[in-house]
Amino acid sequence: MDASQSLPSTSEDARFAAEVREWLADNLTGEFADLRGRGGPGREHEAFEERLAWDRHMAAAGWNCIGWPTEFGGRGATINQQVIFHEEYAKADAPARVSHFGENLLGPTLIAFGTPKQQERFLPKIVDVSELWCQGYSEPGAGSDLAAVSTSAHLDGDQWSVNGQKVWTSLAHTADWCFVVARTEPGSKRHKGLSYLLVPMHQPGVEIRPIVQLTATSEFNEVFFDDARTDADLVVGEPGDGWRVAMGTLTFERGVSTLGQQIGFARELSGIIELAERNGAATDPIIREKLTRAEIGLRVMRSHAMRTLANVDATTNGGEASVAKLLWANWHRGLGELAMEVTGAQSIVAAGDPDDGGLTDLQRLYLFTRSDTIYGGSNEVQRNIIAERVLGLPREARA
C-alpha cells in the first residue's frame, strides 16, 4: 500500500515524503529504537512512558499536529502531505501515539467550534503534548447511542457541576482532561439539550476504574463524575449544542490517520499470509479465498478513504464517516477470525509471553478485534445514521 498509488504526485510531496522518512530513520534510534511496533489497540500498556517521551520528541521537532493551521501551532500540511506522513509513519513501524485524542479529535474540534480563549488555553498544550485527553461519550445505558446519554451537568455559580458515569473511556487513567457530552437541559431527550464540556480529570469528583479486557490489559475505563467541576466557559459551542459539536469530533476521528491505520492492517495481513505459507494452511482453497478477499477488502477501504478525505467537514455528516467505520471494523474483526483459522489448533494454546498475558500477537488480534464493531460507534448505530441521514428512510422507532 503505497501513497503514490492513489495520490497525485508532485515534487513538493516527494520532498515531503523523503523528509519524513529521513527524520524517522534518524530518530527511531538510541533510546527510541526499541519502540518500533509498540502500543496500539489492545497494547496501549506497552512502553507508555517511553512512547509519551517519543511524542514529545516529535513535537519538539515540529512533527505533531502537522495538519493543523500554522496559526494554531501546526504545519498547515495539505491532505496529501498528511496522508504521506501517516503512511510513512506506519511503514517505519513507529510506535502508536499516546496523544491521539488531543491531536486528532479535541484539537480539530476546538479549531472548528472553540472560542479564541479556549484555543489559546488548550491548543498549545496539545501541540507540545504536555496535556493528554480522553473522550467521555459512551455510558452503561447508552453504549454507542450518544443521544441517549444521561450524565448531567448544571451551572452552579461560575462552574458546571457534572454527575454521571462514562464507560469504555480509552486511556482515561493517563488523561489530564476529558471532553464530555452531558445533558444540561433537564427533561430534554435524545440529541436536544446536550452540551460538550471540557472537564479536568485530576480532581476529587472524578473516579477512574480500569476495565480488564479479554486481552488481560486495561486501556478502557469506567469514569464516575460526582459533582465534578469545570469552569462555566469550558463549554465548546453553545450550551445545548453539544450534539453538533460531538458529531464534528466523530467526523475528525475518521480522518487521514485512518490511512496509517490501514498500513498497520496490511502488515497484519502480510504476517497472516506468511504464516499460512509456512504451516501449509495456504494449500486449503477456502483459506486462500479468504486471504484473497481480505486483500480486496483492504483495497476497497483505501479507495473509499482516498475518495472521501477531501470532503471531511466537521459541520456536516454525509454518511462517509459511518461507511468508513463499517468497512474497517468489520474487515478487521474478520481478519482476527481468519488469523485463528490460519493458526489452526495452536490458536487455543497460550503460547505467548506469560508476563504479557500468555497471548501471541495473533491471539491478541483476535480477542481485541471482537470490540472493533462496538467501540467508536457500533455497527447498528452506523447503519441507522446511513439509513436515516443518507437514504432518507424512516427513523427507527424509539421508546
Side-chain angles (χ1 to χ4, degrees):
M1 294 181 63
D2 185 354
S4 63
Q5 292 176 355
S6 301
L7 289 171
S9 179
T10 67
S11 57
E12 184 180 356
D13 288 342
R15 286 193 297 270
F16 181 79
E19 182 185 2
V20 176
R21 283 195 300 272
E22 182 178 352
W23 189 87
L24 289 170
D26 290 344
N27 286 268
L28 277 171
T29 57
E31 63 178 305
F32 300 124
D34 291 338
L35 293 183
R36 292 181 184 270
R38 305 297 293 276
R43 300 165 55 199
E44 291 290 358
H45 63 291
E46 294 180 346
F48 181 86
E49 292 298 329
E50 293 82 357
R51 289 190 292 124
L52 176 58
W54 166 254
D55 274 16
R56 290 172 175 165
H57 178 72
M58 290 185 62
W63 290 109
N64 198 31
C65 306
I66 65 166
W68 293 14
T70 55
E71 61 265 34
F72 295 113
R75 293 177 60 133
T78 66
I79 288 291
N80 279 15
Q81 291 171 342
Q82 293 177 62
V83 171
I84 288 168
F85 173 81
H86 285 289
E87 294 195 329
E88 293 295 341
Y89 190 88
K91 289 176 185 177
D93 203 19
R97 309 287 299 281
V98 302
S99 55
H100 165 74
F101 289 100
E103 176 180 354
N104 297 313
L105 278 69
L106 192 274
T109 300
L110 287 183
I111 290 172
F113 300 101
T115 65
K117 183 178 179 181
Q118 291 168 349
Q119 293 166 349
E120 182 180 358
R121 162 63 182 85
F122 293 109
L123 295 182
K125 292 183 179 295
I126 295 174
V127 172
D128 68 14
V129 201
S130 58
E131 287 182 342
L132 299 178
W133 287 81
C134 62
Q135 181 179 30
Y137 277 18
S138 294
E139 298 182 5
S144 293
D145 185 5
L146 182 57
V149 301
S150 59
T151 293
S152 65
H154 69 273
L155 277 174
D156 181 13
D158 60 355
Q159 291 188 317
W160 293 96
S161 171
V162 184
N163 290 275
Q165 178 186 357
K166 298 294 181 178
V167 74
W168 311 122
T169 310
S170 299
L171 301 182
H173 58 298
T174 66
D176 302 294
W177 288 81
C178 183
F179 46 98
V180 177
V181 175
R183 195 163 297 282
T184 53
E185 295 180 12
S188 61
K189 294 183 178 180
R190 302 300 300 166
H191 59 276
K192 304 293 184 182
L194 297 173
S195 295
Y196 191 107
L197 305 176
L198 309 179
V199 182
M201 296 292 281
H202 304 307
Q203 59 171 305
V206 176
E207 180 185 357
I208 302 168
R209 299 179 187 172
I211 298 172
V212 179
Q213 301 149 198
L214 287 173
T215 54
T217 56
S218 301
E219 65 201 61
F220 294 135
N221 302 269
E222 296 177 286
V223 180
F224 297 85
F225 299 103
D226 183 8
D227 192 29
R229 296 285 171 148
T230 195
D231 292 342
D233 61 353
L234 294 187
V235 54
V236 182
E238 296 296 324
D241 194 29
W243 177 262
R244 184 173 69 97
V245 180
M247 291 301 99
T249 300
L250 290 177
T251 299
F252 291 124
E253 188 175 16
R254 316 284 196 253
V256 292
S257 61
T258 60
L259 272 297
Q261 177 191 52
Q262 290 171 24
I263 294 292
F265 289 172
R267 187 179 296 115
E268 290 170 344
L269 176 57
S270 294
I272 294 169
I273 292 172
E274 291 173 4
L275 174 62
E277 291 171 346
R278 287 199 311 271
N279 69 8
T283 62
D284 184 328
I286 295 177
I287 294 291
R288 283 205 309 274
E289 180 184 358
K290 289 183 178 181
L291 291 170
T292 302
R293 287 183 179 275
E295 175 66 31
I296 293 170
L298 194 59
R299 293 177 180 270
V300 168
M301 257 192 288
R302 179 178 176 80
S303 176
H304 174 78
M306 297 305 302
R307 189 178 68 249
T308 60
L309 273 178
N311 299 321
V312 171
D313 183 351
T315 62
T316 61
N317 183 353
E320 294 91 346
S322 295
V323 172
K325 175 58 168 61
L326 285 171
L327 282 173
W328 78 253
N330 286 283
W331 182 91
H332 202 217
R333 184 182 65 181
L335 185 69
E337 295 169 351
L338 180 56
M340 296 298 94
E341 287 189 66
V342 169
T343 304
Q346 281 296 115
S347 65
I348 63 174
V349 179
D353 184 351
D355 294 331
D356 196 22
L359 299 175
T360 65
D361 288 343
L362 291 185
Q363 287 170 329
R364 182 174 285 105
L365 171 70
Y366 167 73
L367 291 173
F368 193 85
T369 56
R370 312 313 294 165
S371 66
D372 282 353
T373 56
I374 301 172
Y375 74 82
S378 69
N379 278 3
E380 292 76 14
V381 168
Q382 302 309 319
R383 288 172 178 141
N384 278 352
I385 290 172
I386 295 168
E388 295 170 7
R389 300 184 194 173
V390 180
L391 301 179
L393 299 177
R395 293 181 64 84
E396 181 184 35
R398 294 183 172 96

